[in-house]
Each structure stands twice: as C-alpha cells, then as structure tokens.
Amino acid sequence: MMFPEGPKIPALTEAESQVVDAYLAVLKRLSGVNPTQTTGTYTALRAAQALVTESRALRDALSLMFERQEKEIHVRTMETALRSLDGDRFQPRLGPSSGEASADGE
C-alpha cells in the first residue's frame, strides 16, 4: 500500500525540533485563551494554565539550543518546519474574530 507523500520537513537538530514543537504548543494554548475565540471562562482558564507549562517547555528548548552553542535561529528553516507541520492554522485564532460586532454591543 502506498501512502501519499507528506510535507517536506527540513532537517533540524534535536533542540530545534523541540523549539518547533514547543512553539506550536504555545500557539495552540494561546489561541485557546483568546477571548474573541472562546465562550467560556473555564475553557480559557484551563488554556491559560497550560500556556504556562508550554511556555516553560519553549524556554527550556531555547536554553538547550543556546547551551549546545546553537546561537542562531535559521529563520527560513524554522519557517519551513512550522509550515510543514501546519503551524499557520493557529494564525486566524490568535487575533480578534472576523465576525460582526458581538451581541453585547462591543
């Protein structure tokens, strides 16, 4: 059985892979906290609590890169990796909703 070829993910160091994974996790949680994209405070609260954990993982991944003397972030490579992993799916959920004015008049 042949499987369709997936997106091309560039070769990354272990630390770079951890940065990409942690960054995507932060974006996911941040989109869950966005008050224009959620209707419940409990859901937003849980996302905000998880955001703290995910942010620490991102910090740790960047620290690991620095400790391993990986002092430069190769922007094009990281951008390709994020796009390959469908990272831009969070972009519409990070800003204000594109809908009309809400029912409360704002």
Side-chain angles (χ1 to χ4, degrees), residues 22-96:
Y23 182 71
L24 288 172
V26 165
L27 288 180
K28 178 182 178 184
R29 299 304 181 184
L30 192 57
S31 69
V33 176
N34 184 344
T36 67
Q37 299 292 326
T38 188
T39 57
T41 56
Y42 182 73
T43 303
L45 172 62
R46 296 288 302 194
Q49 290 169 335
L51 179 60
V52 174
T53 302
E54 304 298 357
S55 296
R56 285 185 188 132
L58 179 57
R59 179 204 58 202
D60 292 346
L62 288 165
S63 294
L64 180 61
M65 280 185 70
F66 188 80
E67 289 168 10
R68 292 183 175 179
Q69 303 300 312
E70 298 178 41
K71 304 224 174 164
E72 291 183 41
I73 293 178
H74 302 281
V75 176
R76 290 196 190 278
T77 302
M78 296 297 243
E79 180 180 3
T80 301
L82 287 168
R83 288 188 190 283
S84 297
L85 296 169
D86 204 21
D88 46 359
R89 73 182 180 270
F90 297 109
Q91 188 171 357
R93 294 173 34 202
L94 294 175

